[in-house]
Amino acid sequence: MGKGADFERYIAKMLGKWWTNGERDDIFWRTSQSGGRATIRKRQGKGTKNQDGDLCATDPIGQPLIDKTTIELKVGYNGWSLKEIIDKKHKCNTQLEAFFEQCEREKDSQGKQCWWLITKQDRRELLIFMNHEFWKWLKPRISLPEDVSLIFILHSKFGYIHVMNLEKFLEIVKPELFYENK
């Protein structure tokens, strides 16, 4: 899989299929300049609705996810591993902390409580990191199967961060949850 834009398109299609139970892959797409347009406008004191983060809804049926969650995507960045974090007693490294800081900044700029960080390192599986606010919202709404082998909790300067395999997450979490009372 390529870098940056290719990865964003891949994840946008994957989330679209998840959102529509495999029927469509065009629900989400890359934000303008991968969030760059919103950043430039913020510097000018202007807002840009739904353009923070790396993905936006291109069809209104996907808006409940975007209204709840800022989504950031990172591919490559092989300077860290979960094993390294475990070996360091659950402490995040600087690169991950920078990603979490970006997620926090993006969610705050849109007045949201939740963010996701989806990552893919070379020859590793897709991971989803989510802030504790999202996990607190999600946990009472799902039932975790016994075979979930990766739900890992990190402690960062932004609080607890929950991590799991993205494919497993998409199996467990149903899009209908986002249509419920927020």
Side-chain angles (χ1 to χ4, degrees), residues 1 62 79 121:
M1 182 176 313
Q121 293 178 302

Side-chain angles (χ1 to χ4, degrees), residues 27-110:
I27 306 304
F28 306 104
W29 202 243
R30 302 174 62 220
T31 56
S32 180
Q33 298 172 341
S34 193
R37 179 171 184 249
T39 301
I40 291 167
R41 288 177 54 83
K42 268 186 254 171
R43 288 185 195 136
Q44 299 168 349
K46 300 175 183 175
T48 309
K49 184 155 176 60
N50 295 328
Q51 291 295 302
D52 284 275
D54 289 324
L55 295 181
C56 63
T58 56
D59 186 305
I61 68 169
Q63 198 60 44
L65 176 61
I66 300 303
D67 286 345
K68 179 103 186 130
T69 309
T70 295
I71 302 172
E72 287 291 331
L73 307 173
K74 301 292 182 193
V75 65
Y77 298 101
N78 295 312
W80 62 271
S81 72
L82 286 178
K83 181 187 178 318
E84 170 191 281
I85 294 166
I86 292 167
D87 288 347
K88 291 182 179 180
K89 301 187 193 281
H90 305 357
K91 291 182 181 175
C92 294
N93 76 8
T94 308
Q95 191 173 60
L96 272 179
E97 287 285 352
F99 295 159
F100 299 155
E101 184 173 351
Q102 180 183 5
C103 291
E104 285 287 322
R105 192 174 50 249
E106 298 296 332
K107 84 160 174 67
D108 289 347
S109 75
Q110 290 292 309

